[in-house]
């Protein structure tokens, strides 16, 4: 970040059959760590749903706690996990959590918004909200926080030494290697080594829609490992 311009970028190319990186290029001499933003959805949330064998045909209500179920509108609770995964819902694309009462829980805030607004028909609409809910489902099923479960998942893939996870795992040195993502008026500072997404930041916990950090080499190794595991073979077919 120089003179209000973002100057870091990295490109990787992967040969999945040979299980190796065939292209790696960066604008920096030092390997940078990136906020992967919405790549958290396919890199964290979807693999963990498969890892936990969460039934995609079951309704959201099946996986919610009683206290959560009472705070979700009937139309939302009747959505299936599959509908949330593929963004075929009547959920809004996004909800501004941080301008609402900070004392309300995630589900209380969600309920206060959805009781006022829900599109009438099911349709494809890319939605952070759906993946926020999927993150909660994962935590309910596993009884673990999303960030810790993902670390466990990466360890099972043999990637425990890679820079791959939510910002709370980053060391002070790694945070200085993070690419600056914004000059945030809401937080009154330049954002580096901290999740860019305002909702993930405001809610103060790992979320299913955003928050993953990694460097290019770790992304490459993760995708190769993912391609060769049960969850990856479901997501990344050779024909894709």
């Amino acid at each position: 970040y120089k003179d209000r311009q973002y100057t870091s970028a990295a490109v990787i190319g992967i040969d999945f059959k040979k299980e190796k990186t065939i292209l790696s290029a960066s604008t920096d001499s030092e390997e940078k760590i990136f906020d992967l933003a919405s790549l958290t959805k396919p890199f964290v949330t979807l693999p963990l749903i498969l890892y936990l064998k969460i039934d995609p045909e079951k309704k959201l209500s099946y996986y919610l706690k009683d206290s959560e179920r009472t705070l979700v509108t009937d139309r939302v609770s009747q959505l299936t996990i599959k509908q949330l995964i593929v963004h075929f819902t009547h959920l809004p694309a996004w909800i501004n959590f941080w301008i609402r009462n900070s004392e309300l829980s995630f589900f209380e805030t969600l309920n206060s918004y959805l009781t006022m607004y829900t599109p009438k028909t099911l349709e494809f609409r890319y939605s952070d909200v759906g993946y926020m809910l999927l993150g909660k489902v994962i935590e309910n099923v596993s009884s673990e926080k999303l960030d810790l479960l993902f670390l466990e998942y990466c360890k099972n893939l043999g990637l425990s030494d890679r820079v791959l996870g939510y910002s709370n795992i980053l060391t002070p040195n790694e945070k200085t290697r993070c690419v600056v993502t914004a000059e945030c008026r809401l937080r009154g500072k330049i954002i580096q080594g901290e999740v860019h997404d305002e909702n993930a930041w405001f809610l103060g916990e790992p979320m299913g829609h955003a928050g993953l950090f990694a460097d290019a080499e770790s992304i490459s190794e993760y995708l190769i490992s993912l391609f060769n595991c049960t969850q990856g073979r479901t997501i990344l077919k050779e024909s894709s």
Side-chain angles (χ1 to χ4, degrees):
Y1 185 74
K2 184 179 180 181
D3 299 326
R4 296 179 180 271
Q5 299 295 316
Y6 300 97
T7 58
S8 294
V11 178
I12 55 173
I14 303 170
D15 186 325
F16 285 106
K17 289 186 177 180
K18 294 182 179 179
E19 299 184 15
K20 68 177 184 178
T21 302
I22 57 174
L23 170 66
S24 180
S26 174
T27 56
D28 301 273
S29 57
E30 177 187 47
E31 188 167 30
K32 292 293 186 179
I33 298 170
F34 294 86
D35 179 340
L36 299 185
S38 280
L39 285 177
T40 304
K41 298 178 179 74
F43 284 8
V44 176
T45 306
L46 182 53
L48 290 183
I49 286 171
L50 296 169
Y51 176 61
L52 295 171
K53 295 181 172 57
I54 294 172
D55 188 342
E57 302 302 329
K58 287 197 179 295
K59 295 177 180 178
L60 174 63
S61 59
Y62 180 84
Y63 291 109
L64 295 180
K65 298 175 182 177
D66 290 342
S67 59
E68 297 168 345
R69 199 176 297 114
T70 60
L71 291 170
V72 175
T73 61
D74 288 341
R75 296 187 70 200
V76 173
S77 67
Q78 295 306 300
L79 291 170
T80 66
I81 299 301
K82 182 178 180 178
Q83 286 174 318
L84 292 169
I85 290 171
V86 301
H87 300 278
F88 191 76
T89 71
H90 39 57
L91 292 170
W94 187 74
I95 291 175
N96 188 333
F97 278 81
W98 73 82
I99 65 170
R100 300 178 186 277
N101 188 338
S102 61
E103 295 181 0
L104 297 179
S105 69
F106 168 80
F107 280 97
E108 288 171 332
T109 303
L110 182 65
N111 182 59
S112 69
Y113 186 91
L114 293 181
T115 52
M116 295 185 293
Y117 166 79
T118 299
K120 294 181 179 180
T121 58
L122 288 169
E123 61 183 22
F124 175 80
R125 181 186 293 102
Y126 185 87
S127 175
D128 277 358
V129 179
Y131 271 74
M132 288 179 170
L133 287 167
L134 289 172
K136 297 299 181 183
V137 166
I138 290 168
E139 291 186 339
N140 287 350
V141 171
S142 66
S143 299
E144 286 190 72
K145 298 301 276 186
L146 203 56
D147 55 343
L148 297 179
L149 181 63
F150 185 65
L151 283 178
E152 175 189 311
Y153 181 64
C154 288
K155 184 177 181 180
N156 289 341
L157 293 176
L159 300 172
S160 56
D161 61 338
R162 302 309 306 159
V163 179
L164 188 70
Y166 287 82
S167 61
N168 59 330
I169 73 159
L170 298 176
T171 66
N173 178 59
E174 288 169 341
K175 289 190 176 185
T176 64
R177 287 172 49 206
C178 287
V179 173
V180 171
T181 56
E183 185 173 355
C184 180
R185 293 183 180 180
L186 180 64
R187 284 171 263 190
K189 63 179 181 179
I190 291 174
I191 306 305
Q192 182 182 30
E194 181 179 299
V195 62
H196 175 101
D197 183 90
E198 292 92 345
N199 279 333
W201 163 76
F202 178 78
L203 291 165
E205 57 183 302
M207 301 299 295
H209 72 294
L212 182 66
F213 282 76
D215 57 32
E217 184 178 347
S218 296
I219 294 170
S220 178
E221 290 192 25
Y222 176 64
L223 290 177
I224 290 170
S225 297
L226 190 63
F227 186 76
N228 287 293
C229 74
T230 303
Q231 296 78 44
R233 285 193 292 270
T234 304
I235 303 168
L236 301 169
K237 297 179 180 179
E238 287 192 27
S239 59
S240 67

